[in-house]
Amino acid sequence: MRLLVSDLTHRYDDLTVLDGIDLALAEGEILAVIGPSGCGKSTLLGIAGGIVAPTAGSIRVEGEVPDGCLNPITFIFQDFALLPWRTVEDNVALVLEHHPLPAAERRERIEAGLRGMGLWEFRKALPKQLSGGMRQRVGIARALAVRPAMLLLDEPLSALDAQTRELLMDDFLELWRREKTTALYVTHNLDEALRLADRVCVLSRRPGRIREMVTIEEPRERRQEPSAQAHLAAVRERLWHLMKAEAQMADREIARA
Amino acid sequence: MPDSLPVNPLVNGVSAQPVRFRGGGFTVKRHPWAALAAFAALLAVWEGASRLGLASPLFLPPPSAVGRALAGMVTDGSLWLNLKASLGRIAVGWVLGTLGGMLVGFAMGIFSTARAVGVPLVSAFFPIPKIALLPLFILWFGIGEPSKFATIGFGVFFPTVIATCSAIDSVPRNLIRMAQSFGLPWRSILRSIVLPGALPGILAGFRITASIALILVVAAEMIGAEYGIGAFVLMAGNLMQTDTLLAGVLVLSLMGLAIGTVLSLLERRLLNWR
């Protein structure tokens, strides 16, 4: 499934958050979106997922919805968004409840999602009994249960410690190797973008405009190898240069306001 | 790092000092017997003051006399007769007020139009001391039970509306957005997210409204009732039977305690996820 964003603008009252965004996300591609705080990254994701109505412009998807897909565009949230009163299993079941599925398929989807994330033994636990990393894994299992065609990830690792982030990045890589799901990945962490994305979209300070689109040539599976490090370091330097300039200008504007 | 440190090392000629602990206090410690001991001490002082003639038994009878009066209420059946009447009024009035309040509170919490209409009305009616309306309710519904149900129900209604509406406001919006992003229908969002998410706030409101119901039942019974703990206390006061009066007050206190315990059990059962 492909995502096409055309001349997208979004305003909250008099505040323009996004201005004239044009981008196309190819099938199976992972596009990371980075930019200074307040540049409209999460708003862009909300609009792409249909939970924020854009002020102007259009968002379209193209392509076939795969068999068994119950929610083509699916979010993974920064704060996990788990229902604290439901067990792990019931949190995953929530997103299947309104679909007329046979009981066996429902069970199979829940079990596959939880086993895939190594959470089957914890299916009866409440979210409060889990670590941050495990909670995000429940969020991922919930997303996988609907077999999405496209994932929208809103800083999914930013609430986690460095070690858990590394482990979950491995999980994401394995997921993408297996499922080839198209993904729009919002982050402020350059290392995540460099590890996971095919391209990185750098947004300017508010109002967010596309400052630059950077392609990471190195294939994802080789990015941990020593031979890839020179290229990745160069890309990182380029991204940081762009980010730093925007963040500094944003800070100066805040100080003047 | 050396294998062992000297007992009293000298560093640049200065003897090393142990680091002083400064982290004490400002933590809550459990003292399970303290409350019981304080309560027993209070009763002992009260009893002693009465026996030593420091307090007139006519105006402040000793706890032993209050206990005897309570035992008398149990044996002559007046406790159950009055308790039954009060509990019945509280139950009917509270249930009516709570159901109505939750319905209106939910509507105000969910629908913008209902909120726009409801907030000014609730703000206008909420501050009225509800017992002041009892004479009006007596005119409308008669001196019997319905006027007392109405007073209690009306008193419970507004705090329930406010508690329910606030509880819905406090449901994390990220959970609702999550459900919307997975395409859950409106009714499922209400049933699976809004209602359970609002439950802590609604139950907290129950505590407040249960106390209000207790106050209002006593006031209503003092104005116009043959039976009920409020009527019983008033009659004991009129007859200068202060031991019986205090026994009635003790029953009211125990009623409040029992209602609080039931609500705590309910919270523990329904909110075990917190």
Side-chain angles (χ1 to χ4, degrees):
Chain A
M1 185 171 264
R2 294 179 298 281
L3 181 77
L4 300 167
V5 179
S6 310
D7 199 18
L8 183 76
T9 295
H10 191 68
R11 280 188 283 274
Y12 291 110
D13 298 324
D14 293 336
L15 189 72
T16 303
V17 181
L18 290 169
D19 188 23
I21 303 287
D22 285 295
L23 59 86
L25 190 54
E27 183 142 8
E29 185 186 22
I30 301 170
L31 176 69
V33 179
I34 62 171
S37 296
C39 72
K41 302 187 289 286
S42 295
T43 303
L44 174 62
L45 211 62
I47 293 171
I51 56 172
V52 177
T55 309
S58 72
I59 296 267
R60 287 174 298 132
V61 285
E62 282 182 355
E64 293 289 306
V65 174
D67 285 346
C69 171
L70 301 176
N71 191 50
I73 302 177
T74 295
F75 276 86
I76 293 178
F77 298 89
Q78 177 184 7
D79 57 10
F80 325 130
L82 301 180
L83 306 187
W85 50 87
R86 283 190 175 222
T87 61
V88 165
E89 188 173 42
D90 289 343
N91 262 287
V92 178
L94 173 82
V95 298
L96 304 174
E97 282 171 2
H98 59 294
H99 294 288
L101 296 174
E105 187 184 343
R106 192 181 303 271
R107 271 198 307 276
E108 188 270 325
R109 281 174 182 257
I110 295 168
E111 185 170 345
L114 291 177
R115 282 198 191 280
M117 286 292 118
L119 287 166
W120 183 243
E121 287 72 27
F122 299 93
R123 62 189 180 280
K124 299 292 178 198
L126 287 168
K128 70 173 181 183
Q129 297 167 306
L130 305 178
S131 67
M134 289 166 89
R135 286 181 207 179
Q136 189 54 290
R137 284 197 172 95
V138 179
I140 299 167
R142 178 178 62 192
L144 297 183
V146 295
R147 299 193 188 145
M150 184 182 298
L151 281 174
L152 304 179
L153 302 101
D154 188 6
E155 302 194 29
L157 309 181
S158 66
L160 305 172
D161 60 83
Q163 183 185 307
T164 310
R165 270 206 302 271
E166 286 293 323
L167 293 171
L168 271 174
M169 270 197 274
D170 288 343
D171 286 347
F172 281 139
L173 287 170
E174 173 58 24
L175 171 71
W176 277 310
R177 195 186 57 75
R178 213 172 52 225
E179 309 284 346
K180 308 273 187 291
T181 313
T182 310
L184 193 57
Y185 190 106
V186 163
T187 182
H188 58 257
N189 186 313
L190 294 183
D191 294 325
E192 283 174 37
L194 285 170
R195 180 100 172 264
L196 303 173
D198 296 300
R199 286 188 299 154
V200 183
C201 170
V202 184
L203 288 184
S204 69
R205 68 193 185 281
R206 193 170 58 221
R209 298 186 181 103
I210 295 181
R211 179 92 164 73
E212 197 158 318
M213 194 69 86
V214 177
T215 302
I216 306 172
E217 305 291 351
E218 204 68 49
R220 250 193 305 278
E221 56 275 16
R222 284 177 39 199
R223 288 184 196 169
Q224 296 288 72
E225 292 175 12
S227 59
Q229 299 316 304
H231 170 66
L232 292 178
V235 177
R236 192 183 199 291
E237 184 58 35
R238 174 83 192 122
L239 291 174
W240 173 235
H241 175 74
L242 292 166
M243 280 268 286
K244 189 177 171 186
E246 290 297 332
Q248 282 173 335
M249 280 190 275
D251 278 351
R252 276 199 288 274
E253 282 175 4
I254 289 167
R256 274 201 297 270
Chain B
M1 190 89 180
D3 288 342
S4 60
L5 286 168
V7 176
N8 186 14
L10 285 173
V11 182
N12 295 334
V14 181
S15 64
Q17 301 287 322
V19 175
R20 187 169 59 86
F21 175 64
R22 294 172 291 179
F26 299 100
T27 51
V28 179
K29 291 178 184 165
R30 284 176 61 85
H31 298 289
W33 299 105
L36 208 62
F39 197 64
L42 184 72
L43 287 179
V45 169
W46 180 5
E47 183 76 31
S50 214
R51 283 177 190 263
L52 293 170
L54 298 173
S56 161
L58 188 61
F59 291 100
L60 187 64
S64 54
V66 176
R68 277 195 297 277
L70 188 62
M73 284 172 72
V74 174
T75 48
D76 68 11
S78 59
L79 174 67
W80 177 236
L81 187 69
N82 291 295
L83 194 61
K84 195 171 66 175
S86 293
L87 285 176
R89 286 169 190 140
I90 288 177
V92 175
W94 186 82
V95 167
L96 287 175
T98 298
L99 287 179
M102 281 178 65
L103 210 65
V104 174
F106 260 107
M108 282 170 58
I110 293 161
F111 304 110
S112 306
T113 313
R115 179 177 295 230
V117 173
V119 167
L121 287 176
V122 170
S123 306
F125 281 104
F126 180 58
I128 298 172
K130 304 304 175 295
I131 198 66
L133 294 173
L134 181 61
L136 185 66
F137 290 143
I138 291 173
L139 288 174
W140 287 355
F141 304 115
I143 193 75
E145 297 303 303
S147 58
K148 294 173 189 63
F149 298 154
T151 306
I152 297 165
F154 204 61
V156 164
F157 175 80
F158 290 103
T160 307
V161 170
I162 293 167
T164 306
C165 189
S166 309
I168 289 171
D169 282 348
S170 69
V171 174
R173 285 312 184 250
N174 65 327
L175 297 183
I176 293 173
R177 294 284 170 268
M178 177 276 293
Q180 288 175 325
S181 80
F182 279 98
L184 263 79
W186 189 79
R187 279 186 185 185
S188 295
I189 294 176
L190 276 192
R191 194 186 59 242
S192 302
I193 294 170
V194 176
L195 188 59
L199 202 56
I202 294 171
L203 288 180
F206 282 6
R207 275 190 188 280
I208 297 166
T209 56
S211 310
I212 290 172
L214 195 61
I215 294 166
L216 286 176
V217 78
V218 171
E221 286 170 351
M222 284 182 169
I223 290 173
E226 191 177 354
Y227 297 112
I229 300 293
F232 179 84
V233 166
L234 184 72
M235 193 187 293
N238 289 341
L239 297 173
M240 211 56 193
Q241 294 172 340
T242 45
D243 52 350
T244 310
L245 185 155
L246 284 175
V249 172
L250 182 63
V251 170
L252 286 172
S253 168
L254 292 174
M255 272 170 72
L257 209 62
I259 291 170
T261 306
V262 169
L263 289 174
S264 293
L265 289 173
L266 200 65
E267 278 180 349
R268 210 173 301 166
R269 187 168 174 76
L270 295 176
L271 306 179
N272 65 341
W273 48 269
R274 288 204 296 185

